[in-house]
Amino acid sequence: DADVTQTPRNRITKTGKRIMLECSQTKGHDRMYWYRQDPGLGLRLIYYSFDVKDINKGEISDGYSVSRQAQAKFSLSLESAIPNQTALYFCATSAQKGKRDNEQFFGPGTRLTVL
Amino acid sequence: GENVEQHPSTLSVQEGDSAVIKCTYSDSASNYFPWYKQELGKRPQLIIDIRSNVGEKKDQRIAVTLNKTAKHFSLHITETQPEDSAVYFCAAGLTGFQKLVFGTGTRLLVSP
């Protein structure tokens, strides 16, 4: 089945370290998103990309950067990790057109802990 | 920008009871309102959505209502079952644009 995958699934790192979270999809979708989930705060959008040449900041982009290496790959980087970036990170995709063109499909999540 | 508020943050019901989760949004331009369910340790998944040209939509035991004038929408689950226990997120956005703003989530617990 076409899917959205994330690597790593869990990661523990130290303050100041650079870390990259990767997202791949086989759904053939052109739109990809990065969210973080914190208890009581829901899902907050970090960055989104509507195609390979289009990158947009979300509501909480400070401290993060992204790279859209191909239609199927969208990476999130923390240049210098800090403890308040400890969270569950989700990648999601959606199709520009089609029967379910508004639905976002989420990956399994990456649990990041910054010590 | 859009702001979505969701209540309650937790909801406990007995199996067979109904559950209602409410959301309000701030941007009158929003016209797409999905609901996602996240089971423990799992990824969020769309369960139902509604567009602003419709006031109510049903799918078996779940329904969503929308009041555009008041800028609020609600999820209704009837005849709740233990497998309905999960965190539910509402969201608001624009059809075609696909950038969503999510509510803070409601943890629903259905006791047998």
Side-chain angles (χ1 to χ4, degrees), chain A:
Chain A
D1 282 346
D3 200 7
V4 183
T5 57
Q6 293 182 232
T7 56
R9 295 294 311 280
N10 289 281
R11 180 71 182 267
I12 300 174
T13 191
K14 296 182 178 180
T15 297
K17 294 291 188 181
R18 184 180 188 274
I19 185 167
M20 179 181 288
L21 310 182
E22 298 185 338
C23 176
S24 295
Q25 52 110 349
T26 56
K27 288 188 165 295
H29 291 169
D30 49 351
R31 301 185 172 195
M32 300 186 73
Y33 312 80
W34 275 105
Y35 292 92
R36 66 176 280 176
Q37 183 177 14
D38 299 276
L41 295 178
L43 293 157
R44 294 182 292 166
L45 184 63
I46 306 172
Y47 271 94
Y48 61 102
S49 169
F50 284 175
D51 65 40
V52 174
K53 297 180 180 179
D54 176 76
I55 302 289
N56 303 280
K57 293 183 178 180
E59 57 185 304
I60 55 163
S61 60
D62 287 350
Y64 301 94
S65 63
V66 291
S67 173
R68 184 81 183 267
Q69 300 97 321
Q71 187 198 34
K73 296 183 181 297
F74 193 34
S75 301
L76 177 71
S77 294
L78 288 67
E79 298 301 325
S80 179
I82 57 176
N84 75 359
Q85 291 177 314
T86 293
L88 181 58
Y89 290 84
F90 283 103
C91 174
T93 71
S94 66
Q96 182 180 8
K97 296 178 182 179
K99 186 176 181 180
R100 299 166 74 181
D101 60 356
N102 286 285
E103 181 176 358
Q104 292 191 14
F105 295 85
F106 286 80
T110 295
R111 185 165 298 280
L112 176 66
T113 302
V114 183
L115 302 176

